[in-house]
Every structure is written in structure tokens, then in C-alpha cells.
Amino acid sequence: MQDMFSDAMEQLLKDRCAPSHIRRIEESGSAEELWREVLASGFADALVPETGGGAGLSLAEVFPIVFVSGRHALPLPFAQTMAVRGVCGATSMPCPDGAIAIASEVDRQADGAILCHRVPFARVSSWVLANLGTTAVLLPTETAQSSLAGGRGSLDASLRWERIPEDASRLTGNHDWRAIGACLIAGLLAGALERVFEMTVGYANERTQFGKPIAKFQAIQQQISVMAEQVFASKMAAQIGFGSATHLPAVSSAAVAKLRTSEAVVSVSAIAHAVHGAMGFTEEYDLQLYTRRLHEWRLSYGSEAHWGSVLGSEVAGTQGLRAIDFVRERIPAWCV
Amino acid sequence: MIDSLTLTSIPAEDEALRPSLRAFLDKALEGVAADVRAHSWMGFDAGFSRALGERGWLGLTFPAEYGGGGRNFFARFVVVEELLAAGAPVSAHWIADRQSGPLILKYGTEAQKRFYLPKICKGEAFFCIGMSEPAAGSDLASVATRAVRTERGWKLNGRKIWTTNAYRSHYMIALVRTSGTAEDRHRGLSQFIVDLSLPGVTVQPIRDLTGDEHFCEVLFEDVFVSDDALIGAEGSGWEQVTAELAFERSGPERIYSSIVVLDEWIGFLRAQNDPSASAITLLGRMVAHLCVLRAMAISVTGKLARGESPVVEAALVKDLGTEFEQQLPLLITEALGGEPGRAVPLPLLKTLAYVTQISPSFSLRGGTREILRGVIARGLGLR
């Protein structure tokens, strides 16, 4: 069933989310057409219980769909919307139809204004789920003051509302939205890292220098092997993050997923650009669609430094448990 | 391309092996210093290996008719993981249990299986690996040790080196040339099980930089072995040695070589009221790496359990795993040195010193980093 879903998603994105579509969306900041197509596929309700009209899948079961979204650099908060809809569905709350970004870093000001910092995909979202600690609130992006929070082509924005609208939907339950966001991004990172790896292998086999493909040189082979290791480790880390039988990740598993995938970004993007040479540095070549995102996503919802600190405190605070036992007992990784 | 690694869980019946083994290890290793336990799978204790054999923890994957446990590779993963996590001295039986036994099971005659496997399972036959030679390290196909067929059987002449535990093992599985010359490369190689007590075998231990003696030089001078010492088919040595290396490279020992020093350091951090923020972050990163590597190793174990020979995947996990093992002592040194005012307990210092000294070997034994990356590159179709 999983493969069926991810194959269908793969086909949809192949047709509708080609590099030319991504470039257009990055330029215009508008992705409504693509969003309607993604929504029509029904995948956005994958985590909603069957009683609520969804597919009732676990986070582990939707991993392949999120991974494929990362492979195609889908310029929409699809995974995030799926997660928020899943949380709404679990409490039978209605959820609006638009794309929903997740803001984990939120400031409330004395005058009632609300500030959401560096929200991934906010430029192409209709809603932002703002994390207020014990609750979260859905805010419409059309009434926000929005500032681009990234470099060229970024879809991230910082947003400010004068006040929370009285009729805003509130999600109850104490959810760790930073960990949820981190886990989802880890799934996207794993997919994007794999795509960058494939592009690099492909280019190394095509590009000829000194009379043979550069893939035939040991110096290149050794670098690409290192890349393969990082990419395989990232996919495993993301599977650990998504390794939950419910619609939500365990915090420690999300920590491992985001930490390891973020760390992989450093060497994978460096090797990809090294192998591609100047061509990989052009706007025209598609590599940049991915490597720009890798670095943005590394920064989103906590990098390896943040999650290292979270996980390290947890290990240090758990008396008597050996490292291996901490891994076995405290970092759940449920297999489908 | 390489097959991707899928998150895999250890079946409950194999997990069930853990509690009794742990209880045994708690008792057996009570009071053993951390720097001694840090020798891990280089720690040699024949009596300890026999005790494991008596309790059915050796040869877990061999069929019961040969004295084995008749279990799958997950069962072995659990047992090996517990032994390594505790820092148990497993070196005596390690190679036989990990690769010589599985090799005999896969390629041996019925008589060879009946002779060797029960002894391995009891911890009574210890093996060493006869691959490297003075002029054949990474370039294994250039082995020059030669076996010539005579009226009295096969006559061996040549020299093996860096042979771990040769001076305290009963047998060596040696890769030798049975036809052609070094120019024939992979053709004309065969494997023999050599009884190391035979006349003409001379074993000389070589002291390593930590002061220990484990690896050796082994000289064969007109050593006569009978036909039944040949394992597998004559001339199939290269194919067999490749399968053997997949067994050698796929186990969890390629992640856990420094695990004792990590746990010692964790104990040191837990005893502090005010551990430094950078040390805690570093710890989290190490545990995350451990978690992912372990999941990758379990996934490779799943492939072994399904009867696959995950040569490339094993190379990939080993390279990543040994990098982790080597990083641990370096990063812990950086963390401890970052706070010169905080006194470090001597057991931690000694353990760290030993692991730091031994760690260069992690990415040499079982195939160097460069060779493994070459194996991966071939798997990716780059060569």
C-alpha cells in the first residue's frame, strides 16, 4: 500500500512539479494551482483517522510520500499540512482547505502582536499554525505582515499579526511542534539528499575530462562513496524519525532524524558542488534547486547543534542506562 | 545502484536472548577495569569463550546438527551486541564464529562441517584469517603463498602477516595460489584450512603500538596438508574470500569498538552537576550517530537473514561505522581537554588512552577505508 501511495505521488510530482514549475513558483510566490492538484490527490488526509474521512495511516506509513516530496523539492508545505490535518482529525476539529505552514518559533508581544520567525514555506501557505506552547492557533497568512526570511528563491517568511483574530481555530493538546516540524523536514531532507546524490552520480558518468568520464577517477569515486554513505545514513535517520505507529513522532526519534540529516547536508552539498564544477553553480542547472533547500532545511526547526543538546541532556539525565540501551529503549523506531 | 536500507526491527524471539546473557555478563565481568574491557573483541580469554559455548551462545546461526543454535542472524546480532556493549573478551572465538564457521558451512564438505563446526560451537577450535601477506595487503589478489599438489597431499610454502591471534589459534583459513602466477590475479586461488600445529609452520607474534600481542607473522615451509584441507572448490578462492569478507564486514563490531569509552565518559558527565553545554551537545550527536548506525547494521543483518550477501551495503556500513568508532576518542579528548580545570577519573583516562592508541586499526582491519570506498564505487557503477 505504501508503495502504491508513493508511486502515485511520484507520478503526480513528475508531471506537475518539474523544475520549471518550481522556478515559476519561487519567482511568483504563488503555488495555488499545484496546491489544488496535490489536494485533489487526497494525500493531505493520509494521517486523518478513517472515521474522519482520512486514510488513517501512521507516520511510518506516510514516510515514502514525504520522501518523494523531498526528492522533487515540492515547493509546498505538503507534509506539514498533512501533519496538522492529522492532529485536527485526531480531535475531530475542522481544518481549512489551504496549505498550512508550521511556525514553531513564536513571540507574543506585550501589545498582543504575534511574531512567527522564519516559517518554512510561509510564502506559499494560506495558513500558519503558530505554536503558543500549550495550544496552537491557525492564522491566515493574508492578514499578516510578511517578510522574506531567506535568500533568492526562498519560500520562507517571518510573519507578524497585530493580534490573534477572535475566530481563529485553536488546536488543543500539548504538541511539540518544533519536533514535529523537525521530523517532517528530516523526511524531506532525506529525499532531497538522495536526489542530489543521483544527480551527482549521473553527472560524473557524463562529464568527460582527460579523455574519460570523471567517474573513472579514484579521487571522484572516493568522494561519491562518502556521499552514498551520508545519503544512506540520512534515509535511515529519517525512517527512525517517522518510525511511529501514530500520526506523531517521538521527540527523541525526531531529534535523531533532524540531527543526522542536517549533518549530512554539509558534506553532501559540498561534494555535489565539487563534482559538478561551475555547471552546478548556475541558475540554469537544477542542482541549485536542491542544494539551496538543503541548507535552508538544515537551519529550520533546529540544526544538529540544537538536537544534539536536546538528546545529550536526555542521555546525561538518564542514570544507569548505557548508550546502547538508551538507543534501544528511549529512541523508538516502529517498523511498518 | 545499491539497494537502499530499510528500517528493520529485531524479532521478539531473538530479543529474548538478551536478559540471560546480560545477567551472565554482569557476573562474569564484575570488577574488570574499563580499560581492560575496552579491548572488546581484541580481548582473548579461552575459558570465557568455552563458557559462552557451554551456554549455547556460539555458532548461533549454525544448524543444530552441527552443534549450532539453529537460529537466524538477528539472534547473533543480539548476542554480539551484548558482548561488545559489556566489553567482554571475545577474541578467542570471534573469527571462527563470525566468518570461518559460516564459510565452512557454506563451502565445506559434509566431513569438514562435522569435524569443525561442533568444535567452534563449544569454543574449542579457534581460527585466524590467512589473507594478508608482506606484499599482498589491499591488493589481496597478489597473494604469493603457494600450495602444490604432491603424492603426499598439498605442499604449502609462503608467508602470511598481520594474522590476528595466529599464535593462539588452532587453525587458519588461508588464501593461497594453487595455479598460475600473480599475474593471473583472481584466477587460480584456493582456500585451505591449515592446522597450525603441523610441522613447518612457524608463528611469530608482532607487538602492536599499545604493547599488546595479537597479530602475527606466519611462515609455511614445506607444510604438508591432505586433500581434505582444501575448503570449497580448487580455484574458487577469490569468490569464497569475497563472501567471507561480507561476513567479516557486516557485523555490529564495526560500530562498537569504542563503546566502552563512550559509556565511561557518559558516566563522568552524569556525575557532574554542571556539565558543559558543548559536552552535552557532543554527547547527543554521538548517540544519534550510534542510533542510526545500529539501525543500518540491523538492516544489513536482515539481508543476511534473508540469505542475501550484502557485500556493498556491508562495506558502506563498515566505513561509516569505523569512522564513528575513530571519532569517539578524538572528540572525547577534545571535550575533556576543553575543561582543563575539571579532574578526569583515572579509569576514564586509561580507557581513553587505550582506545585512542588502538583506533587507527579500526579502519585497517577487514579492508581499509580506501578499499571499502572502492567497493561502494563499484556498487554504484562508477568503476
Side-chain angles (χ1 to χ4, degrees):
Chain A
M1 191 167 70
Q2 279 186 81
D3 288 347
M4 215 172 74
F5 280 122
S6 61
D7 288 351
M9 186 74 175
E10 173 89 40
Q11 197 52 52
L12 172 73
L13 296 180
K14 239 179 178 164
D15 295 343
R16 302 294 177 189
C17 183
S20 57
H21 296 116
I22 299 173
R23 285 188 172 83
R24 214 158 37 236
I25 288 167
E26 286 185 344
E27 298 252 313
S28 66
S30 164
E32 275 167 38
E33 199 186 326
L34 181 58
W35 177 250
R36 275 196 300 277
E37 279 155 359
V38 169
L39 202 62
S41 71
F43 293 130
D45 283 333
L47 293 171
V48 173
E50 284 177 300
T51 51
L57 298 183
S58 62
L59 195 62
E61 288 165 306
V62 303
F63 171 71
I65 314 179
V66 175
F67 184 80
V68 165
S69 307
R71 277 184 58 87
H72 287 271
L74 175 61
L76 282 167
F78 162 70
Q80 291 80 348
T81 306
M82 190 165 64
V84 174
R85 290 174 84 96
V87 170
C88 287
T91 53
S92 305
M93 261 193 60
C95 201
D97 266 352
I100 306 169
I102 295 174
S104 60
E105 313 312 317
V106 179
D107 280 342
R108 300 294 301 274
Q109 299 197 319
D111 62 359
I114 181 164
L115 249 94
C116 296
H117 300 288
R118 206 167 29 77
V119 184
F121 300 100
R123 275 181 72 208
V124 286
S125 299
S126 304
W127 301 91
V128 166
L129 180 88
N131 170 30
L132 301 179
T134 51
T135 65
V137 62
L138 271 174
L139 301 170
T141 52
E142 61 179 7
T143 61
Q145 240 180 17
S146 174
S147 330
L148 177 70
R152 187 192 72 81
S154 176
L155 302 175
D156 300 359
S158 290
L159 304 109
R160 178 191 158 93
W161 287 264
E162 291 307 324
R163 65 188 62 78
I164 299 176
E166 277 171 23
D167 59 350
S169 302
R170 278 180 189 270
L171 271 72
T172 49
N174 198 1
H175 295 109
D176 189 334
W177 288 104
R178 188 188 282 155
I180 295 169
C183 178
L184 298 171
I185 291 275
L188 296 173
L189 272 170
L193 286 162
E194 187 183 87
R195 182 81 190 98
V196 165
F197 168 59
E198 286 173 8
M199 290 175 83
T200 306
V201 170
Y203 187 81
N205 279 324
E206 273 166 27
R207 171 70 173 167
T208 297
Q209 286 288 279
F210 305 102
K212 55 184 178 183
I214 59 171
K216 297 295 168 204
F217 292 94
Q218 273 193 349
I220 299 288
Q221 289 171 357
Q222 298 264 315
Q223 291 195 68
I224 292 179
S225 296
V226 169
M227 199 178 192
E229 292 168 5
Q230 294 299 317
V231 168
F232 272 65
S234 296
K235 188 168 183 182
M236 184 54 80
Q239 289 179 81
I240 291 167
F242 277 73
S244 163
T246 73
H247 60 291
L248 292 171
V251 174
S252 58
S253 311
V256 167
K258 185 61 169 61
L259 188 162
R260 191 63 188 83
T261 50
S262 297
E263 208 179 292
V265 164
V266 178
S267 56
V268 170
S269 65
I271 294 170
H273 278 288
V275 171
H276 276 87
M279 181 54 76
F281 190 67
T282 62
E283 198 284 329
E284 182 194 352
Y285 196 85
D286 294 338
L287 183 66
Q288 54 96 4
L289 295 177
Y290 291 91
T291 52
R292 276 194 286 115
R293 275 174 176 69
L294 292 183
H295 294 293
E296 277 190 0
W297 290 347
R298 177 174 175 229
L299 185 61
S300 302
Y301 305 109
S303 67
E304 57 270 41
H306 170 72
W307 291 110
S309 152
V310 169
L311 208 55
S313 305
E314 194 68 31
V315 177
T318 311
Q319 291 294 340
L321 215 50
R322 299 179 305 189
I324 290 174
D325 298 326
F326 183 91
V327 166
R328 287 180 44 240
E329 295 172 18
R330 303 298 169 92
I331 307 179
W334 184 78
C335 300
V336 178
Chain B
M1 280 296 204
I2 315 169
D3 220 17
S4 100
L5 294 173
T6 312
L7 186 64
T8 305
S9 55
I10 298 174
E13 65 265 28
D14 301 316
E15 275 292 343
L17 287 165
R18 226 180 266 277
S20 57
L21 176 56
R22 187 171 299 191
F24 168 80
L25 290 172
D26 283 348
K27 212 168 155 200
L29 298 173
E30 203 179 355
V32 179
D35 64 307
V36 175
R37 288 187 290 110
H39 283 65
S40 179
W41 53 289
M42 298 304 286
F44 192 102
D45 182 339
F48 180 81
S49 291
R50 275 195 299 275
L52 290 179
E54 276 165 26
R55 288 160 180 79
W57 287 316
L58 301 186
L60 273 164
T61 60
F62 308 165
E65 56 177 312
Y66 304 119
R71 310 280 301 239
N72 61 29
F73 280 88
F74 289 113
R76 181 169 187 274
F77 184 96
V78 168
V79 167
V80 165
E81 180 172 61
E82 285 298 323
L83 290 169
L84 295 172
V90 293
S91 184
H93 69 268
W94 202 246
I95 288 164
D97 184 69
R98 177 182 71 194
Q99 65 194 83
S100 313
L103 182 82
I104 292 168
L105 190 62
K106 191 166 180 176
Y107 296 106
T109 62
E110 191 55 35
Q112 286 170 329
K113 290 181 205 175
R114 296 216 173 272
F115 182 79
Y116 294 106
L117 296 181
K119 287 189 174 66
I120 292 176
C121 296
K122 286 184 197 149
E124 289 172 357
F126 304 146
F127 279 68
C128 58
I129 306 166
M131 293 193 198
S132 294
E133 293 183 3
S138 288
D139 182 12
L140 188 57
S142 67
V143 293
T145 298
R146 182 172 286 276
V148 181
R149 201 190 282 274
T150 70
E151 283 173 5
R152 289 175 55 198
W154 293 90
K155 188 172 75 173
L156 263 64
N157 276 289
R159 195 186 294 268
K160 293 287 174 183
I161 198 168
W162 317 128
T163 318
T164 296
N165 288 340
Y167 76 96
R168 45 196 178 187
S169 294
H170 305 99
Y171 302 101
M172 171 196 282
I173 296 189
L175 180 70
V176 305
R177 185 159 291 288
T178 42
S179 69
T181 64
E183 279 80 63
D184 290 304
R185 307 288 300 160
H186 305 152
R187 287 190 305 270
L189 298 175
S190 306
Q191 284 186 303
F192 285 87
I193 307 177
V194 183
D195 180 340
L196 295 173
S197 66
L198 286 173
V201 178
T202 314
V203 180
Q204 185 62 47
I206 303 166
R207 188 174 290 260
D208 80 4
L209 62 78
T210 74
D212 287 346
E213 284 178 353
H214 44 85
F215 54 28
C216 304
E217 183 164 28
V218 182
L219 189 61
F220 297 123
E221 291 167 302
D222 291 342
V223 178
F224 283 92
V225 297
S226 56
D227 268 338
D228 58 13
L230 177 72
I231 173 106
E234 184 187 339
S236 297
W238 186 258
E239 176 211 323
Q240 291 174 203
V241 94
T242 304
E244 184 184 347
L245 283 166
F247 287 122
E248 177 168 357
R249 288 169 182 162
S250 57
E253 66 262 51
R254 307 303 178 174
I255 305 172
Y256 292 149
S257 299
S258 305
I259 199 72
V260 172
V261 73
L262 175 60
D263 277 323
E264 282 296 300
W265 184 56
I266 291 173
F268 173 63
L269 290 174
R270 282 177 181 157
Q272 296 168 18
N273 298 319
D274 58 340
S276 86
S278 62
I280 291 298
T281 302
L282 187 60
L283 171 61
R285 293 177 74 156
M286 289 175 180
V287 171
H289 273 263
L290 178 65
C291 177
V292 175
L293 282 164
R294 177 174 187 268
M296 294 173 88
I298 293 172
S299 183
V300 169
T301 301
K303 287 180 184 288
L304 288 175
R306 290 192 297 275
E308 299 170 33
S309 185
V311 176
V312 182
E313 294 85 344
L316 191 144
V317 177
K318 179 183 182 273
D319 190 35
L320 214 47
T322 53
E323 192 177 321
F324 169 71
E325 295 178 331
Q326 289 177 332
Q327 282 289 309
L328 285 183
L330 301 177
L331 293 171
I332 292 171
T333 299
E334 185 176 332
L336 294 178
E339 297 180 280
R342 205 189 294 261
V344 181
L346 287 183
L348 172 56
L349 271 185
K350 283 186 183 172
T351 309
L352 179 63
Y354 171 74
V355 175
T356 305
Q357 289 178 7
I358 196 76
S359 66
S361 70
F362 299 167
S363 57
L364 301 175
R365 58 192 187 189
T368 66
R369 174 156 290 145
E370 291 71 21
I371 287 294
L372 295 173
R373 290 178 181 174
V375 170
I376 298 166
R378 181 173 289 123
L380 294 171
L382 300 179
R383 39 187 296 231

